[in-house]
Amino acid sequence: MISKRIRHIKRYQEIVAVLVKYGFGYIVKDVGLFHLLSLPKQIISDFSTESASSAPLAAKIRAMLEELGPTFIKLGQMLSLRSDIIPEQIADELRKLQDSVTPIDPEQIEKTIVEQLGAPVSEVFASFEKDCFAAASIAQVHRAVLHSGERVIIKVRRPEIEAIINNDIEILWDLASLVEKRYVWARELQLTEIVDEFSNAIRNEIDYFREGRNAEKIRDYFSNNASVIIPKIYWDYSTHQLLTMEQIQGMKFGELINASPDSVNKKLIAERIVRSFLDQALDAGVFHGDPHPGNFFFFPDNKICYIDFGQVGVLSEEMKFHFSSLIIGLMRGDTEMLQRTLFEMSPTPDKLDERQFQMDLTALRDQYYELPFRDVHIGKVVHDVFQLTNKHHIVIPTNYTLLGKALITLEGMINQLDNAISILELAEPYGRKLLIERLDPQRLAKKWSRSLFQALTHSVQLPSLLTKTLKHLNTGKTHVEMELPQLDLLLSKLDRVANRISFSIILLAFSIILCGLIIGETMGAHPFLSQIPVLDIAVTISLIMFFIVLLAIFRSGKF
């Protein structure tokens, strides 16, 4: 960790300064990063917890993340999906994070295209629009035409963004581990695991080969469905840093809302959006993670088109079953099924109060039990489930929360087209199908045979493992690992005590020397020294040494 701080010292200093600026100086001081601030800031900054209460916390967090740049903006956007682990008011504020930036010089974009495709832009494309029509912190998008006459859009990653993200992730992981050691709430939230999760997500997002493969998987799934359009990927013009795809031109959501009933069937379009999304999530197991109105095009023949596959969720067979079981458990009023499903979806904390959890789960069930599907809003259901898991410190895996957030977004859009459509009503058959498949005799036989094989394998290995364990115990080679989260805090306090003792000793020594010199000068015991300004020289040297030691102690942040 120390080597990381030395390697990225300038960025560390920027981050620490911004944390202090927005009232989080007490965290900087508690985790031992006080010394990264310049001396003037160490003197004038407020490091008390009261400094964080001068403005709404959620707004300050959003402004802070925006100031810290692309990596932190993306982190905030990911956390905005996690209302299961952060308060709803903070999640709401983080959804306002702005990811629009000034476009970069077209020459740099052309240079990237040449580096990636190995030929000048004029050779690769029949025409290329230098002015981008969309720019964000990670990439910007340009229109072009291939020599074959096909119109395409090109998504180009901003230069150096990968190095910036990698550096920031290293720093984020270090900060998360320091905060976990200092605060109980951080350990309960498992901050380092959240950073690991975020690291995987953002690295996937900047890998345009991966985005292209995701788009192609969904395109292949809908290959026989003429009502759903997915843009074609042009692999000969795509790399990890550059993605070229078919240019789709259709109505935007605002135009669809204002379109006359004679030109489009809004109810049919709404149903197609819902069914196509449920097909992705609960059948294909790969779904568009950000189905907001800006990521759709619509057509007069009631076709729909998905665009931008930067966020894609993946659900295994087990995960699909768990999600549908959760919804069905609520509808059936089956508290036991709900509890079992939530426990299977996520590991439960050691200190979980199961009695209180079951009571809260029963109260949640009663809100929806026996209500008709049309009266239940899936967005409200997902929100309530996340609130419950957050209350009991149960961390829901990201793909579930991404699916939940996508359903909430989708419901908001569908209500504008036809508020009589119920996503839950359309989803119910998928859940029943998954339950029936789960109980299929062949599937159960395969599952039991796998479990039996694993049990037999472990039973065969058990004697050798037991022998090895006993041998280690007998020879004294057994290692015991202990985790002491507060050890660094204790050592930090010991450093402070030692520094204060050193400061006191230096001050005492300085006083004794000064007194001795004054007495010597007064007594006039050394005529030779009377010709030299001994007192002035001694005081000057002592003051310099005193301030050097004092500065070192203060810069350590442990005084």
Side-chain angles (χ1 to χ4, degrees):
M1 288 185 186
I2 293 174
S3 61
K4 288 180 185 177
R5 290 177 208 165
I6 294 170
R7 191 165 66 249
H8 307 309
I9 185 67
K10 186 177 179 183
R11 182 58 172 156
Y12 264 100
Q13 288 172 334
E14 290 173 0
I15 292 170
V16 167
V18 172
L19 284 168
V20 172
K21 173 183 174 181
Y22 285 94
F24 301 101
Y26 64 96
I27 294 178
V28 169
K29 194 166 185 178
D30 283 348
V31 301
L33 296 178
F34 175 84
H35 63 284
L36 293 175
L37 290 169
S38 63
L39 187 59
K41 286 183 179 176
Q42 289 182 19
I43 294 170
I44 66 172
S45 297
D46 184 357
F47 296 96
S48 66
T49 53
E50 288 76 15
S51 63
S53 61
S54 57
L57 178 63
K60 292 208 306 185
I61 291 174
R62 177 180 60 79
M64 179 182 71
L65 294 175
E66 284 181 345
E67 186 168 336
L68 285 170
T71 310
F72 290 83
I73 289 172
K74 288 293 179 185
L75 174 63
Q77 290 173 341
M78 187 199 86
L79 288 174
S80 72
L81 310 178
R82 303 303 306 264
S83 53
D84 60 312
I85 60 174
I86 63 173
E88 185 61 32
Q89 62 269 27
I90 295 179
D92 284 341
E93 190 68 29
L94 293 182
R95 292 184 190 111
K96 301 175 186 176
L97 278 166
Q98 298 299 310
D99 194 20
S100 57
V101 295
T102 304
I104 60 175
D105 190 340
E107 290 182 4
Q108 286 185 284
I109 292 295
E110 291 190 21
K111 182 181 176 183
T112 300
I113 293 173
V114 172
E115 288 173 353
Q116 294 298 304
L117 301 181
V121 172
S122 57
E123 289 184 18
V124 178
F125 304 107
S127 68
F128 176 80
E129 292 185 12
K130 291 188 175 183
D131 294 332
C132 72
F133 71 91
S137 56
I138 287 179
Q140 61 187 51
V141 185
H142 294 256
R143 294 186 180 95
V145 178
L146 300 178
H147 287 291
S148 62
E150 295 169 285
R151 294 183 176 276
V152 296
I153 61 168
I154 308 161
K155 191 173 181 179
V156 186
R157 199 163 74 191
R158 296 174 77 91
E160 309 300 326
I161 192 66
E162 186 173 12
I164 292 170
I165 287 171
N166 287 336
N167 291 345
D168 282 352
I169 285 172
E170 282 192 12
I171 293 171
L172 268 170
W173 201 94
D174 186 20
L175 290 173
S177 62
L178 289 172
V179 173
E180 271 192 358
K181 289 173 182 175
R182 178 65 183 86
Y183 298 106
V184 174
W185 60 263
R187 290 195 293 277
E188 289 177 346
L189 285 179
Q190 300 174 314
L191 282 188
T192 50
E193 289 189 17
I194 290 174
V195 173
D196 286 339
E197 187 179 286
F198 166 68
S199 168
N200 291 330
I202 194 169
R203 283 178 174 138
N204 289 341
E205 189 171 340
I206 65 173
D207 182 353
Y208 294 145
F209 251 148
R210 188 182 184 91
E211 179 177 338
R213 286 195 299 271
N214 289 332
E216 198 162 67
K217 282 179 187 175
I218 298 176
R219 177 182 168 86
D220 289 344
Y221 180 82
F222 287 112
S223 59
N224 296 321
N225 188 336
S227 65
V228 179
I229 299 170
I230 307 295
K232 176 184 175 183
I233 304 298
Y234 293 86
W235 289 111
D236 291 340
Y237 306 92
S238 300
T239 69
H240 289 287
Q241 297 183 40
L242 183 150
L243 183 65
T244 302
M245 66 187 80
E246 179 184 4
Q247 185 181 144
I248 305 290
Q249 292 181 321
M251 286 187 291
K252 293 183 178 179
F253 187 72
E255 296 172 306
L256 175 66
I257 292 294
N258 296 321
S260 66
D262 297 332
S263 60
V264 289
N265 186 334
K266 294 178 187 176
K267 178 180 175 63
L268 178 58
I269 286 176
E271 286 183 356
R272 284 179 171 176
I273 291 172
V274 175
R275 291 188 189 281
S276 65
F277 182 82
L278 294 173
D279 281 340
Q280 293 171 58
L282 299 180
D283 190 18
V286 181
F287 62 92
H288 194 297
D290 193 19
H292 66 74
N295 282 338
F296 283 93
F297 283 120
F298 307 93
F299 303 90
D301 55 359
N302 302 315
K303 291 181 180 180
I304 62 171
C305 172
Y306 287 84
I307 61 171
D308 192 351
F309 294 84
Q311 282 190 49
V312 169
V314 178
L315 296 180
S316 65
E317 292 297 320
E318 199 77 11
M319 296 173 82
K320 288 189 290 183
F321 174 75
H322 288 155
F323 192 84
S324 58
S325 297
L326 192 65
I327 302 301
I328 289 171
L330 280 169
M331 297 301 100
R332 289 181 176 176
D334 191 336
T335 306
E336 187 178 337
M337 183 181 185
L338 288 172
Q339 183 169 332
R340 185 174 62 252
T341 301
L342 284 171
F343 285 176
E344 288 175 356
M345 285 171 69
S346 176
T348 54
D350 295 334
K351 297 180 180 178
L352 177 69
D353 184 343
E354 289 199 30
R355 184 173 175 275
Q356 184 60 49
F357 178 70
Q358 194 165 32
M359 288 172 61
D360 291 342
L361 205 53
T362 302
L364 176 63
R365 177 208 66 185
D366 291 344
Q367 290 183 43
Y368 301 105
Y369 183 45
E370 293 184 343
L371 279 178
F373 283 130
R374 290 181 181 275
D375 294 339
V376 180
H377 295 284
I378 197 164
K380 180 73 165 54
V381 173
V382 170
H383 174 268
D384 288 345
V385 170
F386 286 171
Q387 287 288 92
L388 175 63
T389 56
N390 182 33
K391 176 182 176 181
H392 291 277
H393 307 294
I394 297 174
V395 180
I396 301 294
T398 306
N399 277 324
Y400 288 123
T401 57
L402 186 61
L403 176 58
K405 177 257 182 184
L407 286 169
I408 292 170
T409 305
L410 206 64
E411 189 172 55
M413 181 170 67
I414 296 305
N415 286 340
Q416 295 181 62
L417 292 173
D418 188 333
N419 57 17
I421 290 178
S422 166
I423 293 181
L424 204 56
E425 186 173 19
L426 294 176
E428 198 262 349
Y430 291 87
R432 291 189 183 279
K433 179 187 173 186
L434 287 168
L435 279 175
I436 292 169
E437 287 177 357
R438 183 82 169 191
L439 297 173
D440 179 65
Q442 289 185 346
R443 184 185 291 265
L444 288 173
K446 286 181 182 178
K447 182 179 178 181
W448 289 338
S449 63
R450 281 197 302 268
S451 299
L452 180 61
F453 177 75
Q454 288 175 353
L456 289 171
T457 303
H458 292 323
S459 65
V460 170
Q461 293 174 344
L462 187 61
S464 62
L465 289 171
L466 186 59
T467 302
K468 190 181 292 184
T469 303
L470 291 172
K471 185 177 179 181
H472 280 302
L473 284 170
N474 188 48
T475 56
K477 292 182 179 179
T478 305
H479 298 284
V480 178
E481 291 187 6
M482 295 181 66
E483 187 177 347
L484 300 172
Q486 301 297 324
L487 183 59
D488 283 356
L489 178 61
L490 177 61
L491 292 175
S492 177
K493 288 184 176 180
L494 287 174
D495 280 347
R496 285 192 176 96
V497 172
N499 282 334
R500 288 176 181 176
I501 292 172
S502 300
F503 177 72
S504 301
I505 292 172
I506 291 169
L507 187 60
L508 178 62
F510 175 72
S511 303
I512 293 170
I513 292 169
L514 194 60
C515 288
L517 288 170
I518 292 171
I519 292 169
E521 283 290 305
T522 304
M523 300 293 290
H526 303 283
F528 173 73
L529 294 177
S530 63
Q531 305 301 315
I532 304 171
V534 176
L535 184 60
D536 294 341
I537 293 171
V539 170
T540 302
I541 293 172
S542 299
L543 281 172
I544 290 171
M545 292 178 65
F546 172 71
F547 282 115
I548 288 173
V549 174
L550 191 61
L551 179 61
I553 292 172
F554 271 109
R555 284 189 65 80
S556 73
K558 295 174 179 176
F559 180 72

